[in-house]
Amino acid sequence: MTSPNDHYTPQPYDPYAEDDFTWFNSDGQAVPQGQQGQQGYGYDEQYYGHQQEQYSGGVPQQPVGRPEDHADQPTYALRTVQYQEVPDDEPGYHIPATPEAGWDMAGSRRRAWVSRIVLLCILLIQAALSLRMANTAFQDEALYLAAGHAELDHLFNGTPLPINYAAYFSGSPQLYPVLVALVDGQFGLTGARCLSLLFMLGTTGLLYSFTRRLFNERAALAAAALFAVLQSTVVMGYFATYDALAVFLLALATWIVVRTDRAPVIAVLLAAPVAVLAVGVKYASALYLPTICVLALLTAWPHKGAKSFLRMVLLGLGIGGLLFVGMYTTDLLAGVQQTTTDRDHGSDSAQFLLQRSAEWGGLMFLTAVGGAVSYVRRSRMNESPIALRLGNPGWRWRALLGLTLCGTALLAPAYQIQLATVVSLFKHVGFGLLFAAPMAGVGVTRLVGAHFRYPQLGIMLWTAVLCLGISQADWRFGVWPDSSKMIRTIDSHVNSKGHYLASTPEVPVYYLRDKTTHRQWQGVFALEYTDEKGKYHSGDDAYRAALREGEFDLIVLDGLTNPRVDEVVAAAVKGNPHYRLLGEVPFSNSSGTGTYRIWIKTS
């Protein structure tokens, strides 16, 4: 028995929405669509006309009642809907890949410009610290400036040199003195000092560059910031001596060695003439040549391996050959022996020299040692996790680099202890700290931590170095007295024929060079004199004999340079009929106050 089809309204996306509905009787036999209404079920079509309902989807409701009453009821055939399968390798939604690091380790233009701006700020601070100092010419400044003018006169006019400067200068008188005299002739003492400032600013810039090459921008900026505020840097930046040029040339030679680490081996020879020129400017620069040669090996080792030994040997031979030619084709060998290798020893104790070295560079040196130790323990210089997979030099290489750079800072104190003198120690400490500065930069970055975790620690360290540098530089630049009043007092009492005695003869030689020459002035450290009877005198007796006979036309004593000889001279002129006291000119310096005592010859 069959039943008529319910009036079914297809719904959107309904699996039963088919045009050809097929009926099946209770026996499972299909009933053709055309005969479905002829089965005679006794149902009136009109009755179903108003019974049409909206089909809500899903499986049709089966008649309610006993099963036997509906045994012949047709059932719908459920059709299986085939859904389109999506391949596993092409998901419908792609999750974007998350980068392992949020920044790129590679250099970028933005990073380079930010670093340059910060470096410019550091250089401006360095320049401001140097330019804020003021005083008249120190005796060393006056000596080199006066010697430079004498060398220029000898070069261009054939004027004989008043003395043999090469015999006792600790640097070639034909190099820095001539250069600074050209500047002094146009711009005076201020221009000569600004020349030194340019050299020191260039040194800081080169330090940043080769430290960035060795490590990264952050370590380079930290190294430059510390070096820029040291006492030696600030003072040499406004001090018309050859130290600024010498340290600049050493920095330039180091920069060439570091920058040519991946270039052909022969490229390292570019550093040889620069290093030799540094030695010519200041003989003590030879103390740092071994460090530059070792750096030629260490910087190239990660890239060239065993070929780096050839690089070091080649640089050493180049420097040695040029030094040999320079020493034995000029008259500089006597100056090197007298002022460097055979220099007279002083009386300063090792404890005193170590204490001064610690005061002037100890804090930065400790920072460099801390940086070297941390670098040996962990080589990674970048915070990016990608850097973990990069190849890094072994701990032995890192230990050698740290030992070389930090150990160089100890060379100057050791040399000064061997000589037992504190003279020029503050400047030589700065020479060594130039090489220790890269490791000090690493120490600051490790102190601050990744992502600037503890910036206050780095700021505190830099502030401490800054305060020490300012106070020490102010004290250093006030060690010698202001000589302006003294020069005005004696200006009208000197000429080109007199013979004069002074505690610091270099100062009046420089300021009164249009009236006198170096040959006319005598200092208070050594004198040899033959009296009118032909008797030879030396030492203190020479001063007494010369004053007894009225040898000097003018005497200027400051009581500071050599107090013992000053008292010998003062006692010799007391009651001496040849002299009268012209006046006493008071002055003040870092140690207190003093007085210039000036005598002139009366008959």
Side-chain angles (χ1 to χ4, degrees), residues 375-388:
Y375 185 57
V376 172
R377 295 181 60 189
R378 179 170 63 88
S379 65
R380 185 163 61 97
M381 295 300 299
N382 198 294
E383 299 163 6
S384 173
I386 302 176
L388 292 173

Side-chain angles (χ1 to χ4, degrees), residues 194-537:
C194 286
L195 179 64
S196 296
L197 178 59
L198 292 178
F199 289 138
M200 292 309 299
L201 292 176
T203 300
T204 304
L206 291 171
L207 168 63
Y208 164 81
S209 181
F210 66 72
T211 304
R212 179 176 177 268
R213 180 82 169 188
L214 289 172
F215 303 112
N216 58 17
E217 291 92 344
R218 189 184 300 182
L221 290 173
L226 289 176
F227 182 78
V229 298
L230 290 173
Q231 175 201 193
S232 56
T233 304
V234 174
V235 173
M236 287 192 296
Y238 205 60
F239 208 52
T241 62
Y242 39 54
D243 299 279
L245 177 57
V247 74
F248 170 77
L249 292 173
L250 287 175
L252 180 58
T254 306
W255 179 84
I256 293 173
V257 167
V258 175
R259 293 294 296 182
T260 58
D261 56 351
R262 303 178 188 179
V265 173
I266 197 172
V268 77
L269 288 177
L270 294 173
V274 179
V276 172
L277 185 60
V279 177
V281 171
K282 182 179 176 68
Y283 302 143
S285 300
L287 195 64
Y288 305 97
L289 296 184
T291 298
I292 296 177
C293 292
V294 173
L295 285 177
L297 166 65
L298 294 178
T299 54
W301 181 266
H303 314 291
K304 298 182 179 298
K307 291 184 179 179
S308 303
F309 287 100
L310 176 61
R311 190 169 186 258
M312 178 180 67
V313 172
L314 189 62
L315 178 60
L317 292 176
I319 292 176
L322 291 176
L323 284 176
F324 179 83
V325 172
M327 289 293 180
Y328 290 95
T329 58
T330 63
D331 57 350
L332 300 181
L333 184 59
V336 173
Q337 293 174 343
Q338 182 171 345
T339 63
T340 306
T341 58
D342 299 334
R343 185 172 180 174
D344 294 336
H345 289 206
S347 57
D348 297 319
S349 66
Q351 180 181 359
F352 172 76
L353 295 174
L354 286 175
Q355 180 182 354
R356 287 291 180 267
S357 300
E359 291 175 359
W360 297 334
L363 185 56
M364 186 170 176
F365 177 73
L366 290 178
T367 305
V369 172
V373 172
S374 66
Y375 185 57
V376 172
R377 295 181 60 189
R378 179 170 63 88
S379 65
R380 185 163 61 97
M381 295 300 299
N382 198 294
E383 299 163 6
S384 173
I386 302 176
L388 292 173
R389 298 193 298 268
L390 299 179
N392 294 307
W395 69 269
R396 293 181 179 85
W397 182 91
R398 302 196 302 271
L400 287 175
L401 180 64
L403 182 63
T404 299
L405 295 178
C406 293
T408 304
L410 300 176
L411 294 179
Y415 176 65
Q416 300 274 162
I417 291 174
Q418 191 269 333
L419 293 177
T421 179
V422 75
V423 176
S424 300
L425 176 61
F426 84 96
K427 296 182 291 186
H428 294 164
V429 166
F431 277 62
L433 290 179
L434 168 68
F435 294 92
M439 278 301 169
V442 175
V444 173
T445 59
R446 297 292 167 84
L447 186 66
V448 171
H451 306 289
F452 294 96
R453 181 176 300 175
Y454 305 110
Q456 65 275 15
L457 298 181
I459 295 173
M460 290 172 58
L461 175 63
W462 184 78
T463 303
V465 177
L466 171 66
C467 293
L468 287 174
I470 291 176
S471 61
Q472 293 169 357
D474 289 345
W475 180 86
R476 175 65 55 184
F477 227 73
V479 167
W480 65 94
D482 187 328
S483 60
S484 56
K485 293 182 180 179
M486 181 270 291
I487 294 299
R488 289 196 297 267
T489 301
I490 68 174
D491 187 15
S492 59
H493 298 278
V494 298
N495 53 47
S496 59
K497 299 179 180 180
H499 192 196
Y500 312 111
L501 174 67
S503 297
T504 55
E506 299 86 0
V507 175
V509 167
Y510 167 66
Y511 282 109
L512 303 175
R513 61 183 181 273
D514 57 336
K515 293 184 177 182
T516 64
T517 66
H518 207 151
R519 193 185 300 273
Q520 297 177 251
W521 290 86
Q522 172 64 45
V524 293
F525 284 98
L527 177 64
E528 295 178 350
Y529 181 72
T530 302
D531 60 19
E532 296 176 350
K533 298 179 180 180
K535 185 178 180 180
Y536 171 80
H537 302 271

